[in-house]
Amino acid sequence: MSTASPIRRASLPEQLIIPLHQHIGENSEILVTKGERVLKGQPLTVAKAYVSAPIHAPSSGIVTDIAEYPAPHPSGLSTLCIVIKTDGENEWADLEPVSNYRDLSTAELRNIIRHAGIVGLGGAAFPTAVKLNPGPDHPIDTVIINAAECEPYISCDDMLMRERADEVISGIEIILHTLGAKKALIAIENNKPEAAEALQKSLGRTANENIHVVAIPTIYPTGGEKQLIKVLTNKEVPSDGLPIDIGIVVQNVGTTAAIHRAIHFGEPLISRIITVTGNGIKQPQNMDVLIGTSMAEVIQQCGGYTENAKQLIMGGPMMGFSMHTDHLPIIKGCNCLLVETTEQRQGMQTMPCIRCGECTRVCPANLLPQQLYWHASSRNFDQVQDYHLFDCIECGCCAHVCPSHIPLVQYYRFAKTEIWNQERDRKKSDHARVRHDFRQARLDREKRERDERLRKKKEMLEKKKQEESQASTAEIDPKKAAINAALERVKMKKASTTVTPKNTNNLTEEQQKKIDEVDKQRQASKTK
Amino acid sequence: MQFKTTSSPHYTPENSVNTIMRRVLLAMIPGTLATIFFFGWGVIINMLLACVVALGTEALMLGMRNRAIKPYLLDGSAILTACLLALALPQLAPWWLTCIATVSAIIFGKHLYGGLGFNPFNPAMVGYVIAIISFPKEMTQWVPPLLEGYTHLNFLQTFQVIFGGQVPAGLSWDAITMATPLDTLKTQLGLELSINDIHQHEVYGPMFGAVGGIGWEWINGLFLAGGLWLAMKRVIDWRIPAGLLGTLFFLSNSFALYDYSSFTPPTFHMFSGGIMLAAFFIATDPVTAATTPRGRWIFGAGIGFFIFVIRTWGGYPDGIAFAVLLMNMTTPLLDYYTMPRAFGHHWREFPQHTKKHDDE
């Protein structure tokens, strides 16, 4: 639908809103201030954490705001964004292209890729530099280039390969060099003969024998990382593992082109190709769009909406997120804008599950979706994990084939979130318990120490008193002794006649002890 | 522009419960027509009666349970239960028997458990078992299948028998009903006759036809055809009928090879009684069958096993209903222990073993 016309470069928008967090991982730190003029390709943030990616100015202009703006996320929540008012100059910052990447160490190459802000362009937006660093324990044998579109309708990878095959191949060569891998397999769906041909031609020019184009059947969700590896190599990535555990790294084909531009031209990731399609779009096509361009603007440039446009989806029809507004920026992970004319599932009666097992047949993770649904809906979270809930990739196949029209994936998301919450609560309560125990121990220790201090003090006092009384008896003269004896007598008399003060009634032993102590002290000071 | 948001996937599902039920009913048509052809008007009367009663009971129960009546009434599941039941009951069963069986199927077999999708037992088989245990005599009123020497009733006569309980003037019950070939074989084998003797018998011999008895072989053949179409359309899972028929064939063949004179030959097993209806239309009821691929093999094989056991040594000529209900009981267990190996997991990881983490 969207492959009829070539990729069109979207015109420069007046304003770019670039969310800081467009990738999986930690946030990056802002380098620019409000009012500052930035050049195209100039870094706006720097990634401090390992799993992180910086963002760059997609065009030259003035930073007008650094604040929270609505982000393209299913929650519709806002996130910190840098807003640039473009000046139309498109003035590039100083770029540092690498003349011969083979002269650089792999760490240096990774660093360039990292500073170029490159993330996986298939949709997940995982920082590419991290993926290219499997570590010495994981020798990489094969690099798989995922050229299977994630979902129906999406054609941005297809168009990229048709038009920029050389960039793709060059990017793959850099990846092979960086990882020290033996071969690269470009997995391309068999419904994209033009793209495959373009790649073959490009390969013929470079004469690189380590890169192979492999046709795979067009069955959703073959574009899923683990599914693709299975189709190509018949190896299964362990449930709790990563592709690097079996010596494989998968990169999206769009990412390879971005790597090519970062190394050979020093260009950071500031634009991407995006499919704008669906029955609700007047001119479906692929657009080369600057990151931060408003979705509304992109759609406008595709002829705008048809009259009956009802739904805007970021991503594909199976796993995409439905957006509540089009005043949202395009981000690095956004591969498709799909505008549908019918509101899905409306007026469709959800019936009880009749256990037909269609979902089991189509599940690419080999799960029992129907049992998962059963236990998730009854909040049976232990059972649901027994049935491997966390191996679900939320591809949506089960919900699509369900004759009872049960929104199955929603149940799995619910169960996953609930389990995460429980886990968090459990950790919190564990933490609280540890803290409580620690406090209790501290209080006990403090009490012991106080008692100990008191005891020592008492001992010292007694010792002192003894010493002093010995000293005083030796030095005292007879006259003073007589006066003392008289005073003592008066005191004794007084004590026997006067009423004892009320606040010293009902004293506890401890208090009495303290009073005695004080009295003794007084006595001692008097005798001095 | 503002939009409504929904959760993915955003494709409209193509299939519906209604489509499934409609296709199953459609696939039953050839076999049903053959049944009507061989057994006469009683089949149609039973079916209509069962359908009306089933829909009425379903509506009543839905109303009492405060459920939306229209979508559930139109899902086709009640009609399907009624049709299966009507095909399983004898053609001259009195009207009240059909009513009791249908009402029991819908109420006890389905709604008391929570309606569509929640019943552990096949509703039609629940209705059938209640009928056969409570009214064994009435459950033998089968009509001779277009066999010479018997009187075949017209519509009015059939109507009178079913609703009036009266045999038409000048006829006796013996003249209008006949034991089924399965029943006959069982009785005669019990009398120490050999299979060959029974087939050569002057009274009983003719009813056995070519393989499964006059009429029965056609009916079973057409249900088999309809069932294969369903399996091709993936409305039903082929594993259940394959497991069922495979086991039945294997067992009957082994025993017949061991002693061909006192054990029924496999061809007869496969084409007599309600075997094809059971294999493709009853055992495959998704709600009450196992859902995992391996579970479905075992489920089907279990039914085949019990059918053979009951037919050979049990007290009833055809044990389909009991076999199905017995295996229905095992489905939760089967589902749990036959879980497929999830992607990226090892076969060794048995469901229970994942719990280990909690104990540690």
Short mmCIF file of all heavy atoms in Angstrom, two decimals, chain A residues 439-462:
data_model
loop_
_atom_site.label_atom_id
_atom_site.label_comp_id
_atom_site.label_asym_id
_atom_site.label_seq_id
_atom_site.Cartn_x
_atom_site.Cartn_y
_atom_site.Cartn_z
N ARG A 439 16.61 -1.76 63.08
CA ARG A 439 16.28 -0.74 64.09
C ARG A 439 16.20 -1.37 65.46
O ARG A 439 16.72 -0.86 66.46
CB ARG A 439 14.94 -0.10 63.72
CG ARG A 439 14.51 0.98 64.69
CD ARG A 439 13.32 1.74 64.15
NE ARG A 439 12.92 2.74 65.12
CZ ARG A 439 12.01 2.51 66.07
NH1 ARG A 439 11.42 1.32 66.13
NH2 ARG A 439 11.70 3.45 66.93
N GLN A 440 15.52 -2.55 65.47
CA GLN A 440 15.37 -3.25 66.75
C GLN A 440 16.74 -3.56 67.34
O GLN A 440 17.00 -3.32 68.52
CB GLN A 440 14.59 -4.55 66.50
CG GLN A 440 13.83 -5.04 67.70
CD GLN A 440 12.80 -4.01 68.15
OE1 GLN A 440 12.13 -3.39 67.32
NE2 GLN A 440 12.69 -3.79 69.45
N ALA A 441 17.62 -4.05 66.46
CA ALA A 441 18.97 -4.40 66.92
C ALA A 441 19.70 -3.16 67.44
O ALA A 441 20.37 -3.20 68.48
CB ALA A 441 19.75 -5.02 65.76
N ARG A 442 19.49 -2.07 66.72
CA ARG A 442 20.16 -0.82 67.12
C ARG A 442 19.66 -0.38 68.50
O ARG A 442 20.44 -0.02 69.39
CB ARG A 442 19.88 0.26 66.08
CG ARG A 442 20.79 1.46 66.22
CD ARG A 442 20.26 2.63 65.42
NE ARG A 442 19.07 3.15 66.05
CZ ARG A 442 18.04 3.70 65.42
NH1 ARG A 442 18.06 3.77 64.11
NH2 ARG A 442 17.01 4.16 66.06
N LEU A 443 18.34 -0.42 68.68
CA LEU A 443 17.76 -0.01 69.97
C LEU A 443 18.30 -0.86 71.11
O LEU A 443 18.67 -0.34 72.17
CB LEU A 443 16.23 -0.10 69.91
CG LEU A 443 15.56 0.95 69.02
CD1 LEU A 443 14.06 0.75 69.02
CD2 LEU A 443 15.89 2.36 69.51
N ASP A 444 18.35 -2.18 70.84
CA ASP A 444 18.86 -3.09 71.88
C ASP A 444 20.30 -2.73 72.24
O ASP A 444 20.67 -2.66 73.41
CB ASP A 444 18.81 -4.54 71.36
CG ASP A 444 17.39 -5.06 71.33
OD1 ASP A 444 16.51 -4.34 71.85
OD2 ASP A 444 17.17 -6.14 70.78
N ARG A 445 21.09 -2.48 71.18
CA ARG A 445 22.49 -2.19 71.39
C ARG A 445 22.64 -0.90 72.21
O ARG A 445 23.39 -0.83 73.16
CB ARG A 445 23.19 -2.05 70.04
CG ARG A 445 24.72 -2.13 70.12
CD ARG A 445 25.33 -1.74 68.80
NE ARG A 445 25.02 -0.35 68.49
CZ ARG A 445 24.60 0.06 67.29
NH1 ARG A 445 24.41 -0.79 66.32
NH2 ARG A 445 24.36 1.35 67.08
N GLU A 446 21.84 0.10 71.82
CA GLU A 446 21.92 1.38 72.52
C GLU A 446 21.58 1.23 74.00
O GLU A 446 22.21 1.82 74.87
CB GLU A 446 20.97 2.39 71.87
CG GLU A 446 21.59 3.03 70.65
CD GLU A 446 20.61 3.93 69.93
OE1 GLU A 446 19.47 4.10 70.42
OE2 GLU A 446 20.98 4.44 68.87
N LYS A 447 20.56 0.40 74.27
CA LYS A 447 20.16 0.20 75.66
C LYS A 447 21.29 -0.47 76.44
O LYS A 447 21.62 -0.06 77.56
CB LYS A 447 18.91 -0.71 75.70
CG LYS A 447 18.23 -0.74 77.05
CD LYS A 447 16.86 -1.39 76.94
CE LYS A 447 16.18 -1.42 78.29
NZ LYS A 447 16.84 -2.33 79.23
N ARG A 448 21.87 -1.48 75.79
CA ARG A 448 22.98 -2.17 76.45
C ARG A 448 24.10 -1.20 76.76
O ARG A 448 24.64 -1.17 77.86
CB ARG A 448 23.50 -3.28 75.54
CG ARG A 448 22.95 -4.65 75.85
CD ARG A 448 23.85 -5.75 75.31
NE ARG A 448 24.40 -5.49 74.00
CZ ARG A 448 23.73 -5.70 72.85
NH1 ARG A 448 22.50 -6.17 72.90
NH2 ARG A 448 24.29 -5.45 71.69
N GLU A 449 24.42 -0.38 75.77
CA GLU A 449 25.52 0.55 75.94
C GLU A 449 25.24 1.56 77.05
O GLU A 449 26.09 1.92 77.85
CB GLU A 449 25.79 1.29 74.62
CG GLU A 449 26.50 0.42 73.60
CD GLU A 449 26.63 1.09 72.26
OE1 GLU A 449 26.12 2.23 72.12
OE2 GLU A 449 27.22 0.48 71.36
N ARG A 450 23.97 2.04 77.11
CA ARG A 450 23.58 3.01 78.12
C ARG A 450 23.74 2.40 79.51
O ARG A 450 24.31 2.99 80.43
CB ARG A 450 22.14 3.46 77.89
CG ARG A 450 21.84 4.83 78.52
CD ARG A 450 20.43 5.28 78.19
NE ARG A 450 19.45 4.26 78.45
CZ ARG A 450 18.56 3.83 77.55
NH1 ARG A 450 18.56 4.32 76.35
NH2 ARG A 450 17.67 2.91 77.88
N ASP A 451 23.21 1.17 79.63
CA ASP A 451 23.31 0.48 80.92
C ASP A 451 24.76 0.35 81.34
O ASP A 451 25.12 0.58 82.49
CB ASP A 451 22.65 -0.91 80.84
CG ASP A 451 21.15 -0.77 80.69
OD1 ASP A 451 20.66 0.38 80.84
OD2 ASP A 451 20.49 -1.79 80.42
N GLU A 452 25.54 -0.02 80.33
CA GLU A 452 26.96 -0.23 80.60
C GLU A 452 27.59 1.07 81.10
O GLU A 452 28.32 1.10 82.09
CB GLU A 452 27.65 -0.70 79.30
CG GLU A 452 29.10 -1.06 79.45
CD GLU A 452 29.29 -2.39 80.17
OE1 GLU A 452 28.26 -3.04 80.54
OE2 GLU A 452 30.44 -2.76 80.40
N ARG A 453 27.26 2.17 80.39
CA ARG A 453 27.79 3.48 80.77
C ARG A 453 27.42 3.84 82.21
O ARG A 453 28.24 4.25 83.02
CB ARG A 453 27.26 4.55 79.82
CG ARG A 453 28.24 4.94 78.73
CD ARG A 453 27.95 6.29 78.16
NE ARG A 453 26.54 6.58 77.94
CZ ARG A 453 25.87 6.22 76.83
NH1 ARG A 453 26.47 5.55 75.88
NH2 ARG A 453 24.59 6.54 76.69
N LEU A 454 26.12 3.63 82.49
CA LEU A 454 25.62 3.97 83.83
C LEU A 454 26.37 3.19 84.90
O LEU A 454 26.77 3.72 85.93
CB LEU A 454 24.13 3.67 83.93
CG LEU A 454 23.23 4.75 83.30
CD1 LEU A 454 21.79 4.30 83.30
CD2 LEU A 454 23.38 6.06 84.07
N ARG A 455 26.52 1.91 84.59
CA ARG A 455 27.18 1.04 85.57
C ARG A 455 28.60 1.53 85.84
O ARG A 455 29.02 1.67 87.00
CB ARG A 455 27.20 -0.39 85.03
CG ARG A 455 27.36 -1.47 86.09
CD ARG A 455 27.23 -2.84 85.46
NE ARG A 455 28.12 -3.02 84.30
CZ ARG A 455 29.43 -3.22 84.40
NH1 ARG A 455 30.00 -3.29 85.57
NH2 ARG A 455 30.16 -3.36 83.31
N LYS A 456 29.29 1.85 84.75
CA LYS A 456 30.67 2.28 84.90
C LYS A 456 30.76 3.59 85.70
O LYS A 456 31.60 3.76 86.57
CB LYS A 456 31.32 2.50 83.52
CG LYS A 456 31.88 1.23 82.95
CD LYS A 456 32.62 1.52 81.67
CE LYS A 456 33.18 0.23 81.08
NZ LYS A 456 33.44 0.37 79.65
N LYS A 457 29.82 4.48 85.36
CA LYS A 457 29.79 5.77 86.04
C LYS A 457 29.62 5.56 87.54
O LYS A 457 30.30 6.15 88.38
CB LYS A 457 28.63 6.58 85.48
CG LYS A 457 28.88 8.07 85.47
CD LYS A 457 27.77 8.73 84.68
CE LYS A 457 27.97 10.22 84.64
NZ LYS A 457 26.86 10.85 83.91
N LYS A 458 28.65 4.66 87.84
CA LYS A 458 28.33 4.39 89.23
C LYS A 458 29.58 3.86 89.95
O LYS A 458 29.94 4.33 91.04
CB LYS A 458 27.24 3.32 89.27
CG LYS A 458 26.28 3.49 90.43
CD LYS A 458 25.06 2.63 90.14
CE LYS A 458 24.66 1.86 91.35
NZ LYS A 458 23.58 0.91 91.02
N GLU A 459 30.21 2.93 89.29
CA GLU A 459 31.42 2.34 89.90
C GLU A 459 32.47 3.41 90.16
O GLU A 459 33.05 3.47 91.26
CB GLU A 459 32.01 1.28 88.96
CG GLU A 459 31.35 -0.06 89.12
CD GLU A 459 31.87 -1.06 88.10
OE1 GLU A 459 32.84 -0.72 87.37
OE2 GLU A 459 31.30 -2.15 88.04
N MET A 460 32.63 4.27 89.16
CA MET A 460 33.63 5.32 89.30
C MET A 460 33.29 6.24 90.47
O MET A 460 34.13 6.61 91.28
CB MET A 460 33.72 6.14 88.02
CG MET A 460 34.95 5.80 87.18
SD MET A 460 34.87 6.56 85.59
CE MET A 460 34.97 8.29 86.06
N LEU A 461 31.99 6.59 90.52
CA LEU A 461 31.56 7.50 91.60
C LEU A 461 31.84 6.89 92.96
O LEU A 461 32.34 7.55 93.88
CB LEU A 461 30.07 7.79 91.45
CG LEU A 461 29.73 8.88 90.44
CD1 LEU A 461 28.24 8.96 90.23
CD2 LEU A 461 30.29 10.22 90.90
N GLU A 462 31.46 5.62 93.06
CA GLU A 462 31.64 4.96 94.35
C GLU A 462 33.11 4.94 94.76
O GLU A 462 33.47 5.22 95.91
CB GLU A 462 31.08 3.55 94.29
CG GLU A 462 29.70 3.50 94.92
CD GLU A 462 28.96 2.24 94.56
OE1 GLU A 462 29.63 1.23 94.24
OE2 GLU A 462 27.72 2.29 94.58
#
